[in-house]
Amino acid sequence: QGANLFFQLIARRYEKVPTVFTSNKPFSQWNKVFADVTIVSAILDRVLHHCTVVNIKGESYRLKERKEYMKQKQHIVNTLFEQGQA
Protein backbone atom coordinates (compact mmCIF):
# COMPACT_ATOMS: atom_id res chain seq x y z
CA GLN A 1 0.00 0.00 0.00
CA GLY A 2 2.93 2.35 0.63
CA ALA A 3 3.97 2.20 -3.02
CA ASN A 4 0.44 3.01 -4.13
CA LEU A 5 0.24 6.02 -1.80
CA PHE A 6 3.65 7.22 -2.95
CA PHE A 7 2.56 6.89 -6.57
CA GLN A 8 -0.56 8.97 -5.84
CA LEU A 9 1.62 11.70 -4.31
CA ILE A 10 3.97 11.70 -7.30
CA ALA A 11 1.08 11.66 -9.78
CA ARG A 12 -0.53 14.70 -8.12
CA ARG A 13 2.74 16.66 -8.14
CA TYR A 14 3.78 15.54 -11.65
CA GLU A 15 4.46 18.54 -13.94
CA LYS A 16 2.93 20.92 -11.36
CA VAL A 17 5.54 21.47 -8.67
CA PRO A 18 9.20 20.59 -8.24
CA THR A 19 10.06 17.61 -6.09
CA VAL A 20 13.45 16.74 -4.65
CA PHE A 21 14.38 13.18 -3.70
CA THR A 22 17.32 11.96 -1.74
CA SER A 23 18.01 8.26 -1.55
CA ASN A 24 20.82 5.87 -0.86
CA LYS A 25 19.31 3.43 -3.37
CA PRO A 26 19.84 3.64 -7.13
CA PHE A 27 16.73 3.61 -9.30
CA SER A 28 17.54 0.04 -10.31
CA GLN A 29 16.88 -1.08 -6.73
CA TRP A 30 13.59 0.73 -6.17
CA ASN A 31 11.73 -2.47 -7.06
CA LYS A 32 13.24 -3.97 -3.89
CA VAL A 33 12.02 -1.03 -1.82
CA PHE A 34 8.51 -1.07 -3.31
CA ALA A 35 7.24 -4.60 -3.90
CA ASP A 36 5.00 -3.74 -6.89
CA VAL A 37 7.17 -3.51 -10.02
CA THR A 38 4.34 -1.95 -12.06
CA ILE A 39 3.90 0.91 -9.60
CA VAL A 40 7.67 1.39 -9.36
CA SER A 41 7.81 1.69 -13.12
CA ALA A 42 5.00 4.27 -13.11
CA ILE A 43 6.66 6.24 -10.30
CA LEU A 44 10.03 6.29 -12.07
CA ASP A 45 8.36 7.22 -15.37
CA ARG A 46 7.01 10.38 -13.77
CA VAL A 47 10.01 11.10 -11.55
CA LEU A 48 12.60 10.80 -14.32
CA HIS A 49 10.64 12.75 -16.94
CA HIS A 50 12.06 16.31 -17.06
CA CYS A 51 14.42 15.58 -14.16
CA THR A 52 18.01 16.29 -13.35
CA VAL A 53 19.76 13.49 -11.50
CA VAL A 54 22.67 14.48 -9.29
CA ASN A 55 24.61 11.42 -8.23
CA ILE A 56 26.79 12.15 -5.22
CA LYS A 57 29.42 9.60 -4.33
CA GLY A 58 31.48 9.57 -1.20
CA GLU A 59 31.17 9.32 2.51
CA SER A 60 28.15 10.74 4.28
CA TYR A 61 28.81 13.96 6.20
CA ARG A 62 27.05 12.48 9.24
CA LEU A 63 29.23 9.37 9.12
CA LYS A 64 32.35 11.46 8.57
CA GLU A 65 31.50 13.67 11.56
CA ARG A 66 30.78 10.63 13.73
CA LYS A 67 34.12 9.05 12.87
CA GLU A 68 35.92 12.30 13.75
CA TYR A 69 34.02 12.49 17.05
CA MET A 70 34.99 8.90 17.90
CA LYS A 71 38.66 9.63 17.09
CA GLN A 72 38.62 12.64 19.43
CA LYS A 73 36.89 10.62 22.13
CA GLN A 74 39.47 7.82 21.81
CA HIS A 75 42.28 10.38 21.94
CA ILE A 76 40.90 11.78 25.21
CA VAL A 77 40.58 8.29 26.70
CA ASN A 78 44.14 7.43 25.63
CA THR A 79 45.46 10.68 27.10
CA LEU A 80 43.69 10.06 30.41
CA PHE A 81 44.97 6.47 30.51
CA GLU A 82 48.55 7.61 29.83
CA GLN A 83 48.35 10.28 32.56
CA GLY A 84 47.04 7.69 35.03
CA GLN A 85 50.11 5.53 34.48
CA ALA A 86 52.60 8.33 35.13
Side-chain angles (χ1 to χ4, degrees):
Q1 182 169 352
N4 190 26
L5 292 172
F6 189 60
F7 170 74
Q8 289 177 34
L9 173 69
I10 297 304
R12 287 186 180 147
R13 297 178 64 85
Y14 178 62
E15 292 193 327
K16 294 179 184 155
V17 292
T19 305
V20 175
F21 294 92
T22 61
S23 176
N24 61 347
K25 301 286 184 195
F27 296 124
S28 62
Q29 291 183 6
W30 278 32
N31 62 330
K32 295 176 184 173
V33 176
F34 302 107
D36 189 331
V37 176
T38 305
I39 290 181
V40 170
S41 180
I43 290 169
L44 290 176
D45 181 58
R46 285 156 182 81
V47 166
L48 297 174
H49 187 227
H50 302 307
C51 84
T52 300
V53 175
V54 178
N55 191 6
I56 301 171
K57 295 189 181 224
E59 192 172 45
S60 156
Y61 283 111
R62 289 181 293 273
L63 181 58
K64 190 175 181 180
E65 288 173 2
R66 181 68 179 169
K67 284 181 179 178
E68 183 60 36
Y69 169 76
M70 294 306 288
K71 276 187 200 175
Q72 290 175 358
K73 188 175 178 180
Q74 187 62 44
H75 176 72
I76 291 169
V77 169
N78 289 343
T79 303
L80 291 173
F81 182 72
E82 290 168 3
Q83 289 176 354
Q85 290 184 346

